[in-house]
Amino acid sequence: MNSQALLAGLPRVDRLLDAPALAALPIRRALKRQLVHTALGELREALLAGRRSVVPGVDEVAEEVARRLDALLRPRPRPVLNATGVVLHTNLGRAPMDGAVVDAITRAAGACDLELDLASGARGSRFAHLRPLLAALLGAEDVHVVGNGAAALLLACTALAGAGGIALSRGQMVEIGDGFRVAAMAAAGGARLVEVGSTNRTHLADYAAALDPDPSDLSSRPASAFLWVHRANFRQEGFVRDVELAELCALARGRGVPVIADLGSGSLGEGVPGDEPTIAAALAAGADVITCSGDKLFGGPQAGLLAGRAATIERLRRHPMARALRPGKLTIAALHATAAAHAREGAPDLPLHRLLAADAASLRARAEALVAALGWPAEAIARGDATIGGGALPGEVIPGVALVVPGRGASASALARRLRAGDPPVLGRIHDDRLLLDLRSLPAEDDDALLAALRGLDRT
Ligand SMILES: *Cc1c(COP(=O)(O)O)cnc(C)c1O
């Protein structure tokens, strides 16, 4: 049969909508109709291209559309088990949220005093409570909050660039995830970018030169601000020269230009291994404003934190872009609860910090219990080399314990696919063609769910 004749045999839209599989679904007819059109379009294309030679029946198409509707309407995103060994995994939602933080979000879900001063009945600020708490916690004169780390960078650079633009070392032109580059984000609001130094070596004199451009070059102007970016996801070695943030700030102060320090991960120091730069250290070094994410080492919700000098933060707060980037009430509630957790004595009792703090003995005990319950051999327990991820401590591993999933003839990628297809999906890491399930990134509360998923794997 030629393809035109096949096309003529495709089920009609109304017959599909009235087929039992679709008619029974309590979903808007217009939505069903949209999906039916899409499915028919795909079938038409497949028939024309010769990828299909048989026209499916009404029920077959209707059932496929019903399956698609079901997939579309399942609650998303779905919870997964993070056994990748990357504790802050951007693809898996970064910092896991604490129960108390989730409670705070729930409390703010209905009507709340977001922008109302209950004492006077007058309009208030959504930052009224968060601002002084975060400022005290971060040791900053003032703090502002936006939707994510990139937005914080964008706001700071746009508001502080001035006519001369922002000077940034070529050695700090970091590309973060998904092809996004710090330099491009910094300039996205119209800030002029002045590149200084070279990829491997930038000297203080390079920054100074950006403030005193060659007078014979009529197009160049003195830079109005410096941007210092933490190399969040790579390290440089060899013939390398870097300017310390404190050195840069000393130069800037003498010349009256502000320094923006993009820290990326925003560590408070407590409960974080390695020597990731802390917010307090960057402020002590003299940065006028630091920017970082709320859902990296701070261990909170997606947010962008800006902390620094009162006058600088006030400029940011009053910039029109601040209104476009402001966080919603759920973010504010979650950040407040996260900040309150940081305020308590001792290491922060947040899921991220609990994962980072888990000692080798407790990880080993969990692994042994899992392996015993599964009847796996003792060799299924291996050393796990976890990383923090999320733009922190590049190249550094946090030792721990991992399970090696017995292959029984299946390749590591086939095993990984099967575990991803489970409910809940389990995400591991493939190393040397073995599938590793790293317990460092998996909260101990998830062990039962992991056990069930692995038992399911044994059955398939
Ligand atoms: C992660 C990161 C950002 C972006 O932060 P988001 O919260 O992901 O928007 C910016 N700069 C650096 C150095 C980072 O590591």
Side-chain angles (χ1 to χ4, degrees), residues 301-350:
Q302 178 185 309
L305 309 183
L306 295 134
R309 289 186 208 290
T312 311
I313 298 293
E314 189 56 23
R315 268 176 82 183
L316 306 185
R317 197 194 320 284
R318 300 315 319 168
H319 193 278
M321 197 176 263
R323 180 64 170 75
L325 303 177
R326 77 176 185 183
K329 64 180 181 176
L330 304 186
T331 299
I332 289 177
L335 260 186
H336 186 274
T338 306
H342 276 288
R344 283 190 277 278
E345 269 184 350
D349 193 16
L350 288 165

Side-chain angles (χ1 to χ4, degrees), residues 10-19 22 29-44 58 61-66 68-69:
L10 277 172
R12 315 206 66 83
V13 173
D14 284 328
R15 283 204 55 205
L16 285 167
L17 289 171
D18 292 335
L22 282 176
R29 196 169 168 92
L31 181 60
K32 293 185 205 171
R33 186 184 293 277
Q34 285 285 343
L35 269 86
V36 163
H37 276 296
T38 307
L40 286 176
E42 289 171 15
L43 280 171
R44 220 170 274 128
V58 172
V61 179
E63 277 158 22
E64 166 61 18
V65 171
R68 290 184 185 186
L69 271 166

